[in-house]
Amino acid sequence: MFESILRTPDVVLVNGNIADENHIDKSVFTLQDVRVETRRQHEQLIIYVTAENTPVSHVRLRWHFRKKLHGQILGDAWERAYADLGWTGVTPYQTLPWYCLIHLGGMTAGYGVMVRPGALCSWQADPEGITLKMDVRSGGSGVELGGRKLHAATVVNSVYTGMSAFAAAQAFCREMCTDPILPEKPVYGANNWYYAYGRSSAEDILKDAAYMARLTDGAENRPYMVIDDGWQAGRYREDGSYEPVYNGGPWMPNGRFGDMKELAEGIRRKNVIPGIWVRLLQDDRSGLPENWKLPGGGLDPSVPGVLDLVRDSVDRIGRWGFRLLKHDFSTFDVFGRWGSEMLEEMTGDGWHFADRTKTSAEIIQDFYRTILEAARPYDMLVLGCNTIGHLGAGLMHMNRTGDDTSGLMWERTLRFGVNTLAFRMPQHGAFYDTDADCMGITKGIDWKLNRQWGKLLSLSGTSMFVSVSPDSLPEDQEKELRAQLLDNAVRRPAAEPLDWQETQLPEEWLLDGRKTSFHWYPPEGLRVGCANGPVWEKVWREVSAVLDTKEDEAK
């Protein structure tokens, strides 16, 4: 029913032009000085690209099928999911990053590349065949290999029978990644962003940690207290007023946080593990060389000095005593686009990294590897956010797999939380531990709705982080939250979305071996388009006004 592509492709294009098949070695294709090799090795097809002088931008491999392709198709996302994952019919113009699954008649086929490829890879499926598109640019310009043989990708292709599409997706993710690094215990706890939104202090964090300790009293596996954006010097002006725009480094504390080593020790004294958020490729300190910066303003991770700066920042945070590092924004800082803006490609033409001899995929992996190596001496877990999962598998313990949920707007939590939890769940435990983002607890979201998100997270087998102001909940809600956190502290099997082939927001789930139904929709229904755009901006202005008032009252 499904045809294998672990063979020489029928057509190869280099920089948009058809390459010639070598008459002696049919697995080699050439165009001028560019050479593309496809070598079958065991149950894989390894792809190499070599060029002496020609900058190489794109390589496309096309396999023709003898029978028309039918079925439901599921792809991945370039970085985080943006409520855009779901099964569809065969859609020829659809870009399917990293891998695609095709389900038909009780069988599921997987077409993908092994994690950490040397190219940014995507698939395109149509009734007559399948195409692998490999972006081997350095930024937005052709890579200059100078005779180097680039291992662009390793293709894998399997067909699964006698199992659900979900079980097949799990198996295929394990096939694409054979060397994940995973936390020894479930990771859960608090993150202060979705109730504080950056307005915080060392005193506030210690209160958060004490509250989390009380909620999880009796749990042998202790929770984390993750300090999110707002602790760094650039977030507050010298007069102490909040700066809502800049959220980069240098990664030193502002006056509201003071001695970070003392703060980490204070969190630990409350029997809670300290964690912290950073944006390592944004730094506005004076004196940094201009050639360290990319056109969009982010730091260029192909520059050795930038990687030294990253290494120093991570090392300092480790010496302070933090044991979870959440690094954020790097994909946007490099490519200048959010995942929702990445359609066929992750970035546009016309720019390049300082090092033009490496592909974007190789440079990003060097950046992730630098973070991991700097974190290792401190046994610090690495949690990627706005990262590229297929390049980070094996280089990060955890991955925030969707865009931000919300403490203000239920629609945003539903779209960006439930969707990514369901459709990235096959990657959980295969690539890394997945994190579908927080349960933001404020009066802005009806507890009857939010408690369902908490229940799903708590029994999902993935991480559960909550954002809640200490002692702000009524006794009955606090009791429910405590039970959910204690449930999440114990290792559980990955939840299975049972109706994920019928909807992008699954309501039927298998949780810890028990079928559970959810009711996501308020009586008035969802506000269409509210997760972004004018409505979201209006809500953000309203919450900012409330936080400004609180700051004035505190003064």
Side-chain angles (χ1 to χ4, degrees):
M1 183 182 296
F2 295 111
E3 299 184 30
S4 174
I5 61 170
L6 298 182
R7 58 179 176 83
T8 301
D10 296 295
V11 181
V12 172
L13 290 88
V14 175
N15 294 347
N17 299 302
I18 296 178
D20 296 321
E21 185 180 76
N22 188 292
H23 295 296
I24 299 174
D25 188 344
K26 301 293 185 180
S27 64
V28 176
F29 296 78
T30 59
L31 181 69
Q32 298 174 341
D33 64 326
V34 182
R35 177 185 173 99
V36 178
E37 301 177 50
T38 60
R39 301 294 184 188
R40 175 75 181 264
Q41 182 173 304
H42 307 299
E43 294 304 309
Q44 300 176 337
L45 187 70
I46 303 175
I47 303 168
Y48 298 103
V49 179
T50 310
E52 293 293 336
N53 301 305
T54 300
V56 188
S57 297
H58 299 86
V59 176
R60 294 167 61 96
L61 281 66
R62 171 72 173 178
W63 292 268
H64 297 150
F65 289 167
R66 294 183 300 275
K67 296 181 180 180
K68 282 191 176 293
L69 181 66
H70 301 281
Q72 287 182 295
I73 291 186
L74 174 67
D76 196 29
W78 283 119
E79 48 110 353
R80 294 179 299 189
Y82 291 79
D84 50 5
L85 294 179
W87 290 89
T88 68
V90 176
T91 309
Y93 49 79
Q94 183 180 14
T95 295
L96 304 162
W98 309 115
Y99 61 85
C100 72
L101 300 166
I102 306 176
H103 182 78
L104 180 66
M107 301 174 64
T108 305
Y111 299 88
V113 295
M114 295 290 289
V115 299
R116 303 192 301 279
L120 305 178
C121 300
S122 63
W123 298 86
Q124 189 175 348
D126 60 67
E128 297 184 357
I130 195 165
T131 302
L132 171 60
K133 300 181 288 185
M134 298 188 298
D135 181 344
V136 295
R137 292 177 296 171
S138 177
S141 302
V143 66
E144 299 176 354
L145 292 172
R148 176 170 70 95
K149 178 183 283 190
L150 170 69
H151 181 181
T154 297
V155 173
V156 287
N157 176 201
S158 295
V159 178
Y160 304 92
T161 60
M163 64 178 69
S164 68
F166 183 79
Q170 288 179 307
F172 193 55
C173 284
R174 292 191 180 98
E175 185 175 344
M176 288 184 286
C177 181
T178 59
D179 59 351
I181 55 172
L182 304 172
E184 293 182 1
K185 300 177 181 179
V187 177
Y188 74 109
N191 177 301
N192 69 324
W193 179 253
Y194 293 106
Y195 88 87
Y197 288 97
R199 316 294 179 91
S200 190
S201 67
E203 181 182 2
D204 293 330
I205 294 298
L206 290 173
K207 290 178 181 177
D208 288 341
Y211 188 49
M212 185 53 48
R214 179 160 65 83
L215 287 174
T216 59
D217 183 42
E220 181 180 351
N221 179 25
R222 300 309 300 153
Y224 287 77
M225 179 63 233
V226 180
I227 305 170
D228 213 285
D229 184 10
W231 66 270
Q232 70 276 25
R235 262 306 197 188
Y236 286 89
R237 300 188 181 96
E238 291 183 3
D239 64 2
S241 59
Y242 181 69
E243 172 54 63
V245 178
Y246 181 70
N247 65 343
W251 299 105
M252 298 298 292
N254 59 54
R256 298 190 178 202
F257 281 81
D259 190 325
M260 296 300 284
K261 184 175 183 179
E262 182 178 309
L263 177 55
E265 290 173 351
I267 295 171
R268 191 174 288 106
R269 282 195 295 268
K270 299 184 186 302
N271 202 19
V272 175
I273 307 169
I276 200 165
W277 172 99
V278 290
R279 182 180 182 179
L280 292 167
L281 292 183
Q282 191 68 251
D283 197 313
D284 73 340
R285 75 183 71 188
S286 60
L288 294 182
E290 280 302 311
N291 63 357
W292 283 22
K293 296 181 180 179
L294 294 168
L299 296 180
D300 184 341
S302 78
V303 176
V306 169
L307 293 184
D308 289 341
L309 195 67
V310 168
R311 190 178 295 107
D312 290 346
S313 295
V314 176
D315 178 74
R316 181 167 58 253
I317 288 168
R319 284 187 279 109
W320 283 341
F322 290 92
R323 293 300 173 259
L324 184 149
L325 181 80
K326 178 182 178 182
H327 68 91
D328 199 355
F329 279 92
S330 60
T331 304
F332 178 80
D333 287 336
V334 167
F335 294 115
R337 294 179 180 176
W338 301 111
S340 57
E341 300 167 320
M342 297 172 181
L343 302 176
E344 293 187 8
E345 297 183 326
M346 297 190 72
T347 191
D349 292 328
W351 68 279
H352 57 80
F353 292 101
D355 184 353
R356 300 188 65 173
T357 69
K358 290 184 177 180
T359 68
S360 298
E362 291 177 304
I363 290 166
I364 295 296
Q365 289 174 69
D366 287 344
F367 169 65
Y368 293 163
R369 191 172 293 107
T370 296
I371 296 171
L372 178 64
E373 290 174 352
R376 270 181 171 154
Y378 305 99
D379 293 324
M380 186 160 40
L381 294 179
V382 175
L383 166 58
C385 184
N386 186 225
T387 46
I388 304 169
H390 222 78
L391 300 183
L395 298 175
M396 57 182 70
H397 304 89
M398 305 168 65
N399 186 24
R400 239 285 301 285
T401 53
D403 194 12
D404 291 6
T405 56
S406 178
L408 306 172
M409 186 172 290
W410 172 242
E411 286 85 354
R412 191 173 179 95
T413 295
L414 185 58
R415 287 180 57 189
F416 297 144
V418 175
N419 181 268
T420 187
L421 185 67
F423 292 95
R424 251 44 193 300
M425 185 65 80
Q427 299 175 6
H428 178 65
F431 289 2
Y432 29 58
D433 270 12
T434 62
D435 169 21
D437 206 14
C438 296
M439 178 187 182
I441 304 173
T442 69
K443 294 180 180 179
I445 297 181
D446 188 340
W447 176 256
K448 293 179 182 178
L449 295 171
N450 218 6
R451 74 199 292 191
Q452 295 189 89
W453 174 233
K455 180 178 181 179
L456 178 56
L457 283 177
S458 69
L459 297 174
S460 68
T462 70
S463 296
M464 178 181 183
F465 288 102
V466 301
S467 289
V468 56
S469 180
D471 302 311
S472 63
L473 294 179
E475 184 177 348
D476 60 332
Q477 294 179 14
E478 185 176 283
K479 184 178 180 180
E480 288 184 273
L481 179 60
R482 169 179 163 79
Q484 290 177 350
L485 287 166
L486 293 179
D487 280 340
N488 197 245
V490 179
R491 181 70 72 186
R492 298 182 187 278
E496 180 178 349
L498 299 175
D499 56 345
W500 75 324
Q501 290 174 265
E502 303 165 16
T503 175
Q504 288 184 303
L505 297 175
E507 294 183 279
E508 304 296 326
W509 291 76
L510 190 66
L511 301 180
D512 205 15
R514 184 175 300 176
K515 185 176 179 180
T516 306
S517 297
F518 294 92
H519 305 281
W520 300 126
Y521 306 100
E524 68 276 14
L526 299 179
R527 290 168 289 180
V528 178
C530 67
N532 292 302
V535 177
W536 171 247
E537 292 169 6
K538 179 177 182 292
V539 173
W540 179 249
R541 287 196 300 271
E542 290 173 355
V543 76
S544 296
V546 171
L547 294 172
D548 286 339
T549 300
K550 287 183 177 180
E551 296 241 327
D552 292 339
E553 291 174 351
K555 291 178 181 178

